[in-house]
């Protein structure tokens, strides 16, 4: 009741000043709340990002291992193909040598 009496006895200029101060306080309060709200959202997003990092690194590791396995399989396939080609050349050379030896041992007819 005393506050109402004081407010009524104030001049209009001092009432405006009082309202301006209260409005400024409200704006500051809302600004602080908004700032902490944004900070809260950023921390939540950062936590979500950090929670995904172990799965991301595990996925990168699996991809790296698969790539290494693919490279190893290709190398083994090339080596196997080279070995088979060399074996085929040796068999062909042996056949050719056997044919030459057989044709030399046969008398001319």
């Amino acid at each position: 009741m005393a506050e109402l009496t004081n407010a009524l006895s104030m001049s209009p200029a001092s009432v405006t000043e009082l309202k301006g101060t209260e409005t400024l306080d409200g704006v500051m309060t809302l600004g602080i709340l908004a700032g902490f709200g944004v900070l809260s959202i950023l921390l939540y997003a950062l936590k979500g990002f950090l929670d995904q990092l172990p799965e991301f690194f595990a996925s990168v590791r699996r991809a790296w291992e698969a790539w290494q396995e693919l490279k190893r399989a290709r190398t083994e396939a090339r080596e196997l193909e080279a070995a088979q080609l060399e074996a085929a050349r040796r068999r062909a050379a042996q056949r050719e040598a056997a044919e030459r030896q057989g044709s030399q041992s046969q008398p001319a007819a």
Side-chain angles (χ1 to χ4, degrees):
M1 191 72 169
E3 292 176 5
L4 182 59
T5 308
N6 287 339
L8 291 175
S9 65
M10 289 183 183
S11 67
S14 55
V15 171
T16 306
E17 288 175 8
L18 181 63
K19 284 184 180 179
T21 305
E22 289 175 357
T23 305
L24 183 60
D25 288 344
V27 169
M28 287 179 58
T29 303
L30 288 176
I32 291 170
L33 287 173
F36 279 111
V38 169
L39 182 63
S40 172
I41 291 169
L42 289 175
L43 288 175
Y44 183 75
L46 180 65
K47 181 188 177 297
F49 174 74
L50 293 176
D51 285 345
Q52 291 178 1
L53 284 179
E55 294 172 14
F56 171 74
F57 288 125
S59 177
V60 168
R61 182 180 46 80
R62 286 191 306 269
W64 177 259
E65 290 172 354
W67 178 254
Q68 295 301 319
E69 178 64 25
L70 177 65
K71 285 175 42 178
R72 187 181 60 75
R74 284 183 177 176
T75 303
E76 289 177 358
R78 268 188 261 133
E79 290 172 355
L80 180 61
E81 185 178 344
Q84 289 173 346
L85 185 59
E86 183 62 30
R89 285 182 186 158
R90 285 183 187 167
R91 284 192 302 268
Q94 287 174 352
R95 241 183 279 129
E96 190 176 304
E99 287 175 3
R100 270 188 268 143
Q101 186 179 12
S103 64
Q104 289 177 356
S105 64
Q106 290 180 349

